[in-house]
Amino acid sequence: MKIFLFFAILLHSPLTLQSQWFPQVSGTTNRLESVSFINNNTGIACGLSGTIIKTTNAGLNWYTLNSGTSDNLVQVIMLSGTTALVVYENGNVGRTTNGGTNWSVTLGSSIETIAFCNNTTGWAAGISCLRYKTTNAGETWNLQCSGGSGEGTPSYLFGTPINDTMVIFAGARGNNHAGSSRAVFRVGLNSWDYNILDLGLLGSIAMGSYTNGFVVGNGYKGITTNTGFSWVSTSYSGSPVRVDFVSPVNAYGVGGTNIYFTSNIGANWAVNFTYSENLYNLQMINGNVGVAVGDNGTVLRNENLFTSVNIVSGSVPEKFYLSQNYPNPFNPETGIEFSITKNSSVKIKVFDILGKEIKELINEELPVGTYRTIFNAGDLPSGIYIYRIITPDFTDSRKMMLIK
């Protein structure tokens, strides 16, 4: 029943894809650890040796900011066009209120991560129950918990918002990074709770909606469809270490030199792009533009990620299959459905009756599943057309009729 319900939420969910990520000039050769955008244009990335760079044109061009420190910076969050926070490797939290021109330390207390549920309210957290709260965008912090020990002690390693009143942290119960049992913690405006999950060290978590999320750690990858109250382990090739959702079920992730994509919360992942440097973080700016950062000052950017592909089911089909288009005859649009039994490079092309290629509908790496794409023949004359699917393991063709 759980499996059925899980796949039921995936029916007809939009699938976002990319074909190519392009390197941008970042102005640094230092490793970039984190990136954050506040809108479609303005973003900040941070990294080793106090590196901070900024863009105001959606990641096309970057310029260096003076962080005032040589310490490594491991996380950045933008809260407005002028206010941003960074986490230092030494545990401090730095803040700017003028777009990054000046930075000052507002919290110095062994912090591992920060997470905000809106642009003013957030938490800074670490191991041994260390947890601070701010309601003024990090200008001041109020201590909520510290100095715990033993099995019941929460240690927070990475956090992300659930909605505008709550964040969720991945971590452990125990007073060190590894802990004695792993857990996720929901922290709200007036309360907090946790789930004990003996999953391995949980180092990253992301939410696509209030209910749907993905968690990853040493030896474990899992998905939730009930706000983290329970998790279902997943098995797949590849290991994204940071994930960002673009819809309740669609997400991109980075791990090693790969950029991954999932269309079912993380049950399956496909490698969309491989680069020459390790990648550590990414953000999908508006669902249509993505920026990833990594070693040697790497900044990768992609845009126009959407295609006219929808996932019909994330379950594993019995066989590769190309269905007859529907409606047929059609005018001017028709749907084409197909199934792939494993992650595959998929092309779907349309030809006229003489064999001349008219249009390429899909040319993407897709995870296992059943998909539907739309062919619009509004600019074509009436007649018989042929559509063909091409994968490394399967090729098939069918005829369709356009009547105007």
Side-chain angles (χ1 to χ4, degrees):
M1 179 61 70
K2 288 184 179 179
I3 295 175
F4 172 79
L5 291 174
F6 166 66
F7 286 117
I9 68 171
L10 304 178
L11 296 180
H12 307 295
S13 58
L15 176 62
T16 56
L17 301 163
Q18 82 267 1
S19 57
Q20 184 75 19
W21 292 72
F22 298 95
Q24 309 298 311
V25 177
S26 66
T28 182
T29 57
N30 291 331
R31 176 193 295 177
L32 297 172
E33 293 272 1
S34 180
V35 61
S36 176
F37 278 77
I38 189 60
N39 53 41
N40 290 347
N41 295 308
T42 305
I44 291 176
C46 69
L48 303 191
S49 302
T51 300
I52 297 179
I53 59 175
K54 184 177 181 179
T55 180
T56 55
N57 60 0
L60 287 170
N61 303 103
W62 297 81
Y63 59 93
T64 301
L65 299 174
N66 183 7
S67 66
T69 181
S70 60
D71 192 39
N72 297 332
L73 304 175
V74 297
Q75 186 185 5
V76 59
I77 292 181
M78 292 201 73
L79 299 176
S80 71
T82 57
T83 302
L85 301 175
V86 291
V87 177
Y88 296 60
E89 192 173 59
N90 67 12
N92 292 339
V93 175
R95 183 174 185 259
T96 181
T97 57
N98 56 12
T101 302
N102 304 104
W103 298 81
S104 60
V105 174
T106 61
L107 180 62
S109 185
S110 302
I111 298 302
E112 296 276 347
T113 185
I114 51 179
F116 278 72
C117 59
N118 54 53
N119 61 2
T120 59
T121 303
W123 289 265
I127 64 174
S128 298
C129 195
L130 185 63
R131 189 175 74 246
Y132 289 83
K133 180 182 177 181
T134 180
T135 56
N136 54 15
E139 180 179 356
T140 58
W141 298 86
N142 298 315
L143 181 64
Q144 290 189 315
C145 179
S146 68
S149 63
E151 169 67 17
T153 303
S155 289
Y156 311 96
L157 301 182
F158 190 82
T160 191
I162 297 177
N163 56 21
D164 60 0
T165 63
M166 184 177 293
V167 300
I168 189 168
F169 290 96
R173 292 180 71 233
N175 58 335
N176 54 52
H177 284 81
S180 53
S181 59
R182 286 53 172 167
V184 294
F185 306 89
R186 284 171 298 275
V187 182
L189 296 181
N190 300 305
S191 64
W192 74 281
D193 60 36
Y194 62 86
N195 290 90
I196 303 173
L197 303 167
D198 192 14
L199 306 178
L201 180 60
L202 301 178
S204 181
I205 193 168
M207 299 296 293
S209 66
Y210 179 75
T211 57
N212 297 349
F214 177 79
V215 69
V216 60
N218 184 19
Y220 183 83
K221 310 162 189 78
I223 58 176
T224 182
T225 57
N226 60 4
T227 319
F229 285 95
S230 62
W231 296 80
V232 178
S233 63
T234 68
S235 60
Y236 54 85
S237 59
S239 180
V241 294
R242 287 289 186 268
V243 171
D244 194 23
F245 279 84
V246 294
S247 80
V249 296
N250 301 328
Y252 291 86
V254 294
T257 58
N258 292 327
I259 296 177
Y260 298 88
F261 174 76
T262 181
S263 57
N264 49 21
I265 313 179
N268 304 100
W269 293 85
V271 175
N272 285 164
F273 185 73
T274 300
Y275 194 57
S276 57
E277 303 284 352
N278 287 325
L279 305 171
Y280 299 102
N281 202 289
L282 86 166
Q283 183 169 356
M284 310 311 297
I285 299 174
N286 58 12
N288 196 43
V289 178
V291 172
V293 297
D295 274 339
N296 201 32
T298 294
V299 175
L300 300 178
R301 183 181 185 274
N302 200 354
E303 59 180 296
N304 299 322
L305 301 179
F306 279 100
T307 68
S308 56
V309 186
N310 288 274
I311 186 166
V312 176
S313 173
S315 59
V316 180
E318 293 183 358
K319 60 181 180 179
F320 284 92
Y321 189 71
L322 178 65
S323 297
Q324 184 64 52
N325 66 297
Y326 181 83
N328 189 43
F330 68 98
N331 179 29
E333 290 187 348
T334 186
I336 298 171
E337 194 168 298
F338 61 95
S339 299
I340 53 176
T341 61
K342 62 181 181 180
N343 295 355
S344 300
S345 172
V346 178
K347 294 180 181 180
I348 292 186
K349 298 184 177 184
V350 177
F351 302 85
D352 65 18
I353 195 64
L354 298 177
K356 179 183 176 181
E357 184 176 330
I358 300 300
K359 188 174 293 187
E360 185 174 71
L361 302 181
I362 300 173
N363 184 358
E364 306 289 350
E365 290 283 339
L366 295 178
V368 58
T370 298
Y371 298 88
R372 186 173 186 267
T373 187
I374 301 297
F375 172 49
N376 188 312
D379 58 344
L380 297 175
S382 297
I384 295 175
Y385 293 87
I386 299 167
Y387 60 98
R388 179 178 301 156
I389 184 172
I390 304 168
T391 78
D393 302 284
F394 175 73
T395 299
D396 194 13
S397 300
R398 289 181 179 268
K399 292 181 180 179
M400 56 185 171
M401 181 176 291
L402 172 63
I403 299 178
K404 290 188 173 181

